[in-house]
Coordinates of all heavy atoms in Angstrom, one line a residue:
M1 N 167.4 105.8 203.2 CA 167.1 106.6 202.0 C 165.6 106.9 201.9 O 164.8 106.1 202.1 CB 167.5 105.7 200.8 CG 167.2 106.5 199.5 SD 167.5 105.5 198.0 CE 168.9 104.6 198.2
V2 N 165.3 108.1 201.5 CA 164.0 108.6 201.4 C 163.7 108.9 199.8 O 164.6 109.8 199.3 CB 163.7 109.8 202.2 CG1 162.2 110.3 201.8 CG2 163.8 109.5 203.6
K3 N 162.7 108.3 199.2 CA 162.5 108.7 197.8 C 161.5 109.8 197.8 O 160.6 109.8 198.5 CB 161.9 107.5 197.1 CG 162.8 106.3 196.8 CD 162.0 105.2 196.0 CE 162.9 105.0 194.8 NZ 162.1 103.9 194.0
V4 N 161.9 110.8 196.9 CA 161.0 111.9 196.9 C 160.3 112.0 195.5 O 159.2 112.7 195.4 CB 161.7 113.3 197.1 CG1 162.4 113.2 198.5 CG2 162.8 113.5 196.2
A5 N 160.6 111.3 194.5 CA 160.0 111.4 193.3 C 158.7 110.7 193.3 O 158.6 109.5 193.9 CB 161.0 110.7 192.2
I6 N 157.6 111.2 192.7 CA 156.4 110.5 192.7 C 155.8 110.3 191.3 O 154.6 110.0 191.2 CB 155.3 111.4 193.6 CG1 155.2 112.9 193.1 CG2 155.7 111.4 195.0 CD1 154.1 113.7 193.8
S7 N 156.7 110.6 190.3 CA 156.1 110.2 189.0 C 157.3 109.9 188.1 O 158.5 110.2 188.4 CB 155.6 111.6 188.4 OG 156.5 112.5 188.1
P8 N 157.0 109.2 186.9 CA 158.0 109.1 186.0 C 158.6 110.5 185.4 O 157.8 111.5 185.8 CB 157.4 108.5 184.8 CG 156.1 107.7 185.4 CD 155.8 108.8 186.5
V9 N 159.7 110.6 184.8 CA 160.1 111.9 184.2 C 159.3 112.4 183.1 O 158.8 111.6 182.2 CB 161.7 111.8 183.8 CG1 162.5 111.5 184.9 CG2 161.8 110.7 182.7
S10 N 158.9 113.6 183.2 CA 158.1 114.2 182.1 C 159.0 114.8 181.0 O 158.6 114.9 179.8 CB 157.2 115.3 182.6 OG 158.1 116.4 183.3
V11 N 160.3 115.1 181.4 CA 161.3 115.5 180.4 C 162.6 114.7 180.6 O 163.0 114.7 181.8 CB 161.5 117.0 180.5 CG1 162.8 117.5 179.6 CG2 160.4 117.8 180.3
A12 N 163.1 114.1 179.7 CA 164.4 113.4 179.8 C 165.1 113.4 178.6 O 165.0 112.6 177.7 CB 164.1 111.9 180.2
N13 N 165.9 114.5 178.3 CA 166.6 114.7 177.0 C 168.0 115.1 177.2 O 168.4 115.5 178.2 CB 165.7 115.6 176.2 CG 165.8 117.0 176.8 OD1 166.7 117.5 177.2 ND2 164.5 117.5 176.9
A14 N 168.7 114.7 176.2 CA 170.2 115.2 176.2 C 170.6 115.4 174.8 O 170.1 114.7 173.8 CB 171.0 114.0 176.8
T15 N 171.6 116.2 174.5 CA 172.1 116.4 173.3 C 173.6 116.5 173.4 O 174.1 117.3 174.3 CB 171.6 117.8 172.7 OG1 170.2 117.6 172.6 CG2 172.1 118.0 171.3
R16 N 174.4 116.0 172.4 CA 175.9 116.1 172.3 C 176.2 117.1 171.3 O 175.7 117.0 170.3 CB 176.5 114.9 172.3 CG 178.0 115.0 172.4 CD 178.8 113.8 171.9 NE 178.8 113.8 170.5 CZ 179.1 112.6 169.8 NH1 179.5 111.5 170.5 NH2 179.1 112.6 168.6
T17 N 177.1 118.0 171.7 CA 177.7 118.8 170.5 C 179.2 118.5 170.5 O 179.9 118.4 171.6 CB 177.4 120.3 170.9 OG1 177.9 120.6 172.1 CG2 176.0 120.6 170.7
P18 N 180.0 118.6 169.5 CA 179.3 118.7 168.0 C 178.3 117.8 167.9 O 178.3 116.7 168.4 CB 180.5 118.4 167.2 CG 181.9 118.5 167.9 CD 181.5 118.3 169.3
P19 N 177.2 118.1 167.2 CA 176.0 117.4 167.1 C 176.2 116.1 166.3 O 177.0 116.0 165.4 CB 175.0 118.3 166.3 CG 175.8 119.3 165.6 CD 177.1 119.5 166.3
N20 N 175.5 115.1 166.7 CA 175.2 113.9 166.0 C 174.7 112.9 167.0 O 174.8 111.7 166.7 CB 176.4 113.5 165.2 CG 177.6 112.9 166.0 OD1 177.5 113.0 167.2 ND2 178.6 112.4 165.2
C21 N 174.3 113.3 168.1 CA 173.8 112.3 169.1 C 172.9 113.0 170.0 O 173.2 114.1 170.6 CB 174.9 111.8 169.9 SG 174.6 110.4 170.9
N22 N 171.7 112.5 170.2 CA 170.7 113.0 171.2 C 169.7 112.0 171.5 O 169.7 110.9 170.9 CB 170.1 114.3 170.7 CG 169.2 114.0 169.6 OD1 168.5 113.1 169.4 ND2 169.5 114.8 168.5
Y23 N 169.1 112.1 172.7 CA 168.0 111.3 173.0 C 166.9 112.0 173.7 O 167.1 113.1 174.2 CB 168.4 110.0 173.9 CG 168.8 110.3 175.4 CD1 167.8 110.5 176.3 CD2 170.1 110.3 175.8 CE1 168.0 110.7 177.6 CE2 170.3 110.5 177.0 CZ 169.4 110.8 178.0 OH 169.6 110.9 179.3
D24 N 165.7 111.5 173.7 CA 164.5 112.1 174.4 C 163.7 110.8 174.9 O 163.1 110.1 174.1 CB 163.8 112.9 173.4 CG 162.6 113.7 174.0 OD1 162.6 113.8 175.3 OD2 161.7 114.1 173.3
K25 N 163.6 110.7 176.2 CA 163.0 109.5 176.9 C 162.0 110.0 177.9 O 162.1 109.4 179.0 CB 164.0 108.6 177.4 CG 164.9 107.9 176.4 CD 165.8 107.0 177.2 CE 166.8 106.3 176.2 NZ 166.2 105.1 175.7
P26 N 160.9 110.7 177.6 CA 160.0 111.1 178.5 C 159.2 109.8 178.9 O 159.0 108.9 178.2 CB 159.0 112.0 177.9 CG 159.2 111.9 176.4 CD 160.6 111.4 176.2
G27 N 158.8 109.7 180.3 CA 157.9 108.7 180.7 C 158.7 107.5 181.3 O 158.1 106.7 181.9
V28 N 160.1 107.6 181.3 CA 160.8 106.5 182.1 C 160.8 106.7 183.5 O 160.6 107.9 183.9 CB 162.3 106.4 181.5 CG1 162.2 106.1 180.0 CG2 163.0 107.7 181.7
A29 N 161.0 105.7 184.3 CA 161.0 105.8 185.8 C 162.1 106.7 186.2 O 163.3 106.7 185.5 CB 161.1 104.5 186.4
V30 N 162.1 107.3 187.3 CA 163.2 108.1 187.8 C 164.4 107.2 188.2 O 165.6 107.8 188.3 CB 162.8 109.0 189.0 CG1 161.8 110.1 188.5 CG2 162.2 108.3 190.1
D31 N 164.3 106.0 188.5 CA 165.5 105.1 188.7 C 166.0 104.4 187.5 O 166.8 103.6 187.6 CB 165.0 104.1 189.8 CG 164.0 103.2 189.4 OD1 163.4 103.3 188.3 OD2 163.7 102.3 190.3
Y32 N 165.5 104.9 186.3 CA 166.1 104.3 185.1 C 167.5 104.8 184.9 O 167.9 105.8 185.4 CB 165.4 105.0 183.9 CG 165.8 104.6 182.6 CD1 165.5 103.5 182.0 CD2 166.5 105.7 181.9 CE1 166.1 103.1 180.7 CE2 167.0 105.2 180.6 CZ 166.7 104.0 180.0 OH 167.2 103.7 178.7
F33 N 168.4 103.8 184.5 CA 169.9 104.1 184.4 C 170.1 104.7 183.1 O 170.1 104.2 182.0 CB 170.6 102.7 184.4 CG 172.1 103.0 184.3 CD1 172.8 103.5 185.4 CD2 172.8 102.7 183.3 CE1 174.2 103.8 185.3 CE2 174.2 102.8 183.1 CZ 174.9 103.4 184.3
F34 N 170.1 106.2 183.2 CA 170.2 107.0 181.9 C 171.6 106.6 181.3 O 172.6 106.6 182.1 CB 170.0 108.5 182.2 CG 168.5 108.8 182.4 CD1 168.0 108.8 183.7 CD2 167.7 109.0 181.4 CE1 166.8 109.2 184.0 CE2 166.4 109.3 181.7 CZ 165.9 109.4 182.9
H35 N 171.7 106.5 180.1 CA 172.9 106.2 179.3 C 172.7 106.7 177.8 O 171.6 106.9 177.4 CB 173.2 104.7 179.4 CG 172.2 103.9 178.7 ND1 170.9 103.6 179.2 CD2 172.2 103.3 177.4 CE1 170.3 102.9 178.5 NE2 170.9 102.7 177.3
W36 N 173.9 106.7 177.2 CA 173.8 107.0 175.7 C 174.7 106.3 175.0 O 175.7 105.8 175.6 CB 173.9 108.5 175.4 CG 175.2 109.2 175.8 CD1 176.3 109.1 175.1 CD2 175.5 109.7 177.0 NE1 177.3 109.8 175.7 CE2 177.0 110.2 176.9 CE3 174.9 110.0 178.3 CZ2 177.5 110.9 178.0 CZ3 175.5 110.7 179.2 CH2 176.8 111.0 179.1
S37 N 174.6 106.0 173.7 CA 175.6 105.4 172.9 C 175.9 106.3 171.7 O 174.9 106.6 171.0 CB 175.2 104.1 172.4 OG 174.9 103.1 173.4
C38 N 176.9 107.0 171.6 CA 177.2 107.9 170.5 C 178.2 107.3 169.6 O 179.3 107.0 170.0 CB 177.7 109.2 171.0 SG 176.4 110.1 172.0
S39 N 177.8 107.3 168.4 CA 178.8 106.7 167.4 C 179.6 108.0 166.8 O 179.3 109.1 167.0 CB 178.1 106.0 166.2 OG 177.2 106.9 165.7
K40 N 180.6 107.6 166.1 CA 181.4 108.6 165.3 C 182.1 109.6 166.2 O 182.1 110.8 166.0 CB 180.6 109.4 164.3 CG 180.0 108.5 163.2 CD 179.2 109.1 162.2 CE 178.5 108.1 161.3 NZ 177.6 108.7 160.3
Q41 N 182.5 109.1 167.4 CA 183.4 110.1 168.3 C 184.8 110.1 167.9 O 185.3 109.0 167.3 CB 183.2 109.6 169.7 CG 181.8 109.8 170.1 CD 181.6 109.6 171.6 OE1 181.4 110.5 172.4 NE2 181.7 108.3 172.1
E42 N 185.4 111.2 167.8 CA 186.8 111.2 167.5 C 187.7 111.6 168.6 O 187.4 112.4 169.5 CB 187.0 112.3 166.3 CG 186.1 112.0 165.2 CD 186.2 113.0 164.1 OE1 187.1 113.9 164.0 OE2 185.2 113.1 163.1
S43 N 189.0 111.2 168.4 CA 190.0 111.6 169.4 C 190.2 113.1 169.4 O 190.2 113.8 168.3 CB 191.3 110.9 169.2 OG 191.2 109.5 169.4
E44 N 190.5 113.6 170.5 CA 191.0 115.0 170.7 C 190.0 116.0 170.2 O 190.3 117.2 169.7 CB 192.4 115.2 170.1 CG 193.4 114.4 170.8 CD 194.8 114.5 170.3 OE1 195.1 115.6 169.8 OE2 195.6 113.5 170.4
V45 N 188.7 115.8 170.3 CA 187.6 116.7 170.0 C 186.9 117.1 171.3 O 186.6 116.3 172.1 CB 186.6 116.1 169.0 CG1 185.4 117.1 168.8 CG2 187.3 115.8 167.6
D46 N 186.7 118.4 171.5 CA 186.0 118.8 172.7 C 184.4 118.5 172.6 O 183.8 119.2 171.7 CB 186.2 120.4 172.9 CG 187.5 120.6 173.4 OD1 188.1 120.0 174.1 OD2 188.0 121.8 172.9
Y47 N 184.0 117.7 173.4 CA 182.5 117.3 173.3 C 181.8 117.9 174.6 O 182.3 118.0 175.6 CB 182.3 115.8 173.3 CG 182.7 115.2 172.0 CD1 183.9 114.4 171.9 CD2 182.0 115.3 170.8 CE1 184.4 113.8 170.7 CE2 182.4 114.7 169.6 CZ 183.5 113.9 169.6 OH 183.9 113.4 168.4
R48 N 180.6 118.2 174.3 CA 179.7 118.6 175.5 C 178.3 117.9 175.5 O 177.7 118.0 174.4 CB 179.5 120.2 175.4 CG 178.5 120.6 176.5 CD 178.4 122.1 176.7 NE 179.6 122.4 177.4 CZ 179.9 123.6 177.7 NH1 179.2 124.7 177.2 NH2 181.1 123.9 178.4
F49 N 178.0 117.3 176.4 CA 176.6 116.7 176.6 C 175.8 117.4 177.6 O 176.3 117.6 178.7 CB 176.9 115.2 177.0 CG 175.9 114.2 176.2 CD1 176.6 113.3 175.4 CD2 174.6 114.2 176.3 CE1 175.8 112.4 174.7 CE2 173.9 113.3 175.6 CZ 174.5 112.4 174.8
T50 N 174.7 117.9 177.2 CA 173.8 118.6 178.1 C 172.4 117.9 178.1 O 172.0 117.4 177.0 CB 173.7 120.1 177.7 OG1 173.1 120.2 176.3 CG2 175.1 120.9 177.8
G51 N 171.8 118.1 179.3 CA 170.4 117.4 179.3 C 169.7 118.0 180.4 O 170.2 118.7 181.2
Q52 N 168.5 117.5 180.5 CA 167.6 117.9 181.6 C 166.5 116.8 181.9 O 166.1 116.1 181.0 CB 166.8 119.2 181.1 CG 165.8 119.8 182.1 CD 165.2 121.0 181.7 OE1 164.5 121.0 180.8 NE2 165.6 122.1 182.3
W53 N 166.3 116.7 183.2 CA 165.3 115.7 183.7 C 164.3 116.5 184.5 O 164.8 117.3 185.4 CB 165.9 114.6 184.5 CG 167.0 113.8 183.7 CD1 166.9 113.4 182.4 CD2 168.2 113.3 184.3 NE1 168.0 112.7 182.0 CE2 168.8 112.6 183.2 CE3 168.7 113.3 185.5 CZ2 170.0 112.0 183.3 CZ3 170.0 112.7 185.7 CH2 170.6 112.0 184.6
V54 N 163.1 116.3 184.3 CA 162.0 116.9 185.1 C 161.0 115.9 185.7 O 160.7 114.9 184.8 CB 161.3 118.0 184.3 CG1 160.1 118.6 185.1 CG2 162.2 119.0 183.7
F55 N 160.7 115.9 187.0 CA 159.8 114.9 187.6 C 159.0 115.5 188.7 O 159.5 116.5 189.4 CB 160.4 113.6 187.9 CG 161.6 113.7 188.9 CD1 161.6 113.8 190.1 CD2 162.9 114.0 188.2 CE1 162.8 113.9 190.9 CE2 164.0 114.2 189.0 CZ 164.0 114.1 190.3
R56 N 157.9 115.0 189.1 CA 157.1 115.6 190.3 C 157.8 114.9 191.6 O 158.2 113.8 191.6 CB 155.7 115.0 190.2 CG 155.0 115.5 189.0 CD 154.5 116.9 188.9 NE 153.6 117.1 190.1 CZ 153.5 118.2 190.8 NH1 154.2 119.3 190.4 NH2 152.6 118.3 191.9
V57 N 157.7 115.7 192.6 CA 158.3 115.3 193.9 C 157.4 115.6 195.0 O 156.5 116.5 195.0 CB 159.6 116.1 194.2 CG1 160.7 115.6 193.2 CG2 159.5 117.5 194.2
N58 N 157.5 114.9 196.2 CA 156.8 115.1 197.4 C 157.8 115.0 198.5 O 158.4 114.0 198.7 CB 155.7 113.9 197.6 CG 154.9 114.3 198.9 OD1 155.4 114.8 199.9 ND2 153.7 113.8 198.9
I59 N 158.0 116.2 199.1 CA 159.0 116.3 200.3 C 158.2 116.8 201.5 O 157.8 118.0 201.5 CB 160.2 117.2 199.9 CG1 160.8 116.9 198.6 CG2 161.1 117.4 201.0 CD1 161.8 117.7 198.0
G60 N 158.1 115.9 202.5 CA 157.5 116.3 203.7 C 156.1 116.7 203.5 O 155.5 117.6 204.2
G61 N 155.3 116.1 202.5 CA 153.9 116.4 202.3 C 153.8 117.6 201.3 O 152.6 117.9 200.8
Q62 N 154.8 118.3 200.8 CA 154.8 119.4 200.0 C 155.2 118.8 198.5 O 156.1 118.1 198.4 CB 155.7 120.5 200.3 CG 155.6 121.1 201.6 CD 154.2 121.9 201.6 OE1 153.9 122.7 200.6 NE2 153.5 121.8 202.7
T63 N 154.2 119.0 197.6 CA 154.5 118.5 196.3 C 155.1 119.6 195.3 O 154.8 120.9 195.6 CB 153.3 117.9 195.6 OG1 152.1 118.9 195.6 CG2 152.8 116.7 196.4
G64 N 155.9 119.3 194.4 CA 156.3 120.2 193.5 C 156.9 119.5 192.3 O 156.8 118.3 192.1
T65 N 157.8 120.3 191.6 CA 158.6 119.8 190.3 C 160.1 119.9 190.6 O 160.4 121.0 191.0 CB 158.1 120.4 189.1 OG1 156.7 120.3 189.0 CG2 158.7 119.9 187.9
A66 N 160.8 118.9 190.4 CA 162.2 119.0 190.4 C 162.7 119.0 189.0 O 162.3 118.2 188.1 CB 162.8 117.7 191.1
T67 N 163.6 119.9 188.7 CA 164.2 120.0 187.4 C 165.8 119.8 187.6 O 166.5 120.5 188.4 CB 164.0 121.3 186.7 OG1 162.7 121.4 186.6 CG2 164.7 121.5 185.5
I68 N 166.4 118.9 186.9 CA 167.8 118.6 187.0 C 168.4 118.9 185.7 O 168.0 118.3 184.7 CB 168.2 117.2 187.5 CG1 167.6 116.9 188.8 CG2 169.6 117.0 187.4 CD1 167.6 115.5 189.2
S69 N 169.3 119.9 185.5 CA 169.9 120.2 184.3 C 171.4 120.0 184.6 O 172.0 120.2 185.6 CB 169.9 121.8 184.0 OG 168.5 122.2 183.8
W70 N 172.0 119.3 183.6 CA 173.5 118.9 183.6 C 174.3 119.1 182.4 O 173.6 119.3 181.4 CB 173.5 117.4 184.2 CG 172.7 116.5 183.3 CD1 171.4 116.2 183.4 CD2 173.1 115.8 182.1 NE1 171.0 115.3 182.3 CE2 172.1 115.0 181.5 CE3 174.3 115.8 181.4 CZ2 172.2 114.3 180.3 CZ3 174.5 115.0 180.3 CH2 173.4 114.3 179.9
K71 N 175.5 119.1 182.7 CA 176.5 119.4 181.5 C 177.7 118.5 181.8 O 178.2 118.4 182.9 CB 176.9 120.8 181.5 CG 178.0 121.0 180.4 CD 178.4 122.6 180.5 CE 179.3 122.6 181.8 NZ 179.9 124.0 181.8
F72 N 178.1 117.7 180.7 CA 179.3 116.9 180.8 C 180.2 117.1 179.7 O 179.8 117.0 178.5 CB 178.9 115.4 180.8 CG 179.9 114.4 180.8 CD1 180.7 114.3 181.9 CD2 180.1 113.5 179.8 CE1 181.7 113.2 181.9 CE2 181.1 112.5 179.8 CZ 182.0 112.4 180.9
D73 N 181.4 117.8 180.0 CA 182.4 118.0 179.0 C 183.4 117.0 179.0 O 183.9 116.4 180.0 CB 183.0 119.4 179.2 CG 182.1 120.5 179.2 OD1 181.2 120.6 178.3 OD2 182.3 121.5 180.0
Y74 N 183.9 116.5 177.7 CA 184.8 115.4 177.6 C 185.6 115.5 176.4 O 185.1 116.1 175.4 CB 184.3 114.1 177.9 CG 183.4 113.6 176.8 CD1 183.6 112.7 175.8 CD2 182.0 114.0 176.8 CE1 182.8 112.3 174.8 CE2 181.0 113.6 175.8 CZ 181.5 112.8 174.9 OH 180.6 112.3 174.0
I75 N 186.8 115.0 176.5 CA 187.7 114.8 175.3 C 188.1 113.3 175.4 O 188.5 112.9 176.4 CB 188.8 115.7 175.3 CG1 188.5 117.1 175.3 CG2 189.9 115.4 174.2 CD1 189.6 118.2 175.6
I76 N 188.1 112.6 174.2 CA 188.6 111.3 174.1 C 190.1 111.3 173.7 O 190.5 111.9 172.7 CB 187.9 110.5 173.1 CG1 186.4 110.4 173.6 CG2 188.4 109.1 172.9 CD1 185.5 109.8 172.6
Y77 N 191.0 110.8 174.5 CA 192.4 110.7 174.2 C 192.8 109.1 174.0 O 192.2 108.3 174.7 CB 193.2 111.2 175.3 CG 193.2 112.7 175.6 CD1 192.3 113.2 176.6 CD2 193.8 113.5 174.6 CE1 192.2 114.6 176.8 CE2 193.7 115.0 174.8 CZ 192.9 115.3 175.9 OH 192.9 116.8 176.1
T78 N 193.6 108.9 173.1 CA 194.1 107.6 172.8 C 195.6 107.6 173.1 O 196.3 108.7 172.8 CB 193.9 107.2 171.4 OG1 194.5 108.0 170.5 CG2 192.4 107.0 171.1
R79 N 196.1 106.6 173.8 CA 197.4 106.5 174.0 C 198.0 105.1 173.6 O 197.4 104.2 174.1 CB 197.7 106.7 175.6 CG 199.2 106.7 176.0 CD 199.3 107.1 177.4 NE 198.6 106.2 178.3 CZ 198.6 106.3 179.6 NH1 199.4 107.3 180.2 NH2 198.0 105.5 180.4
I80 N 199.0 105.2 172.9 CA 199.6 104.0 172.5 C 200.9 103.8 173.4 O 201.8 104.6 173.4 CB 200.0 103.8 171.1 CG1 198.8 104.0 170.2 CG2 200.7 102.7 170.6 CD1 198.9 104.3 168.7
G81 N 200.9 102.8 174.2 CA 202.1 102.5 175.1 C 203.2 101.8 174.4 O 203.0 100.9 173.6
V82 N 204.3 102.1 174.8 CA 205.6 101.4 174.4 C 206.2 100.9 175.5 O 206.5 101.5 176.5 CB 206.5 102.3 173.6 CG1 207.7 101.7 173.3 CG2 205.9 103.1 172.5
N83 N 206.2 99.6 175.6 CA 206.9 98.9 176.7 C 208.3 98.2 176.3 O 208.5 97.8 175.3 CB 206.1 97.8 177.3 CG 204.6 98.3 177.8 OD1 204.7 99.5 178.2 ND2 203.7 97.5 178.0

């Protein structure tokens, strides 16, 4: 494994819609286990979590900036089993 990150993240944010949950954690290490805790989630609602992480990199002696933008769509379903 080759690590290319050479700095903590300068941007580390995420927002969930429908709104009521977000975070902003600039300065954490790139190996930080990003996670979130969102309260007030409801069953059968279309949620979207979007975010972005930005950090400096060095690849083969060349330095630059890596930007990772992501999107996570989800719906919470509950199922009551009958046995």
Side-chain angles (χ1 to χ4, degrees):
M1 178 190 315
V2 176
K3 288 182 127 183
V4 297
I6 58 173
S7 73
V9 294
S10 58
V11 174
N13 60 51
T15 301
R16 187 191 70 194
T17 56
N20 74 354
C21 187
N22 60 52
Y23 76 75
D24 189 16
K25 294 184 178 271
V28 297
V30 293
D31 61 354
Y32 176 77
F33 182 71
F34 288 93
H35 62 283
W36 66 85
S37 297
C38 294
S39 60
K40 300 178 184 174
Q41 297 188 104
E42 298 177 20
S43 294
E44 300 182 23
V45 173
D46 291 325
Y47 290 107
R48 172 169 285 174
F49 225 112
T50 57
Q52 185 176 69
W53 302 321
V54 178
F55 51 92
R56 301 280 301 149
V57 295
N58 181 328
I59 301 172
Q62 299 292 318
T63 58
T65 302
T67 301
I68 300 170
S69 298
W70 52 271
K71 174 182 73 168
F72 178 63
D73 295 320
Y74 65 100
I75 300 172
I76 299 170
Y77 292 103
T78 58
R79 179 171 63 177
I80 299 173
V82 177
N83 294 344

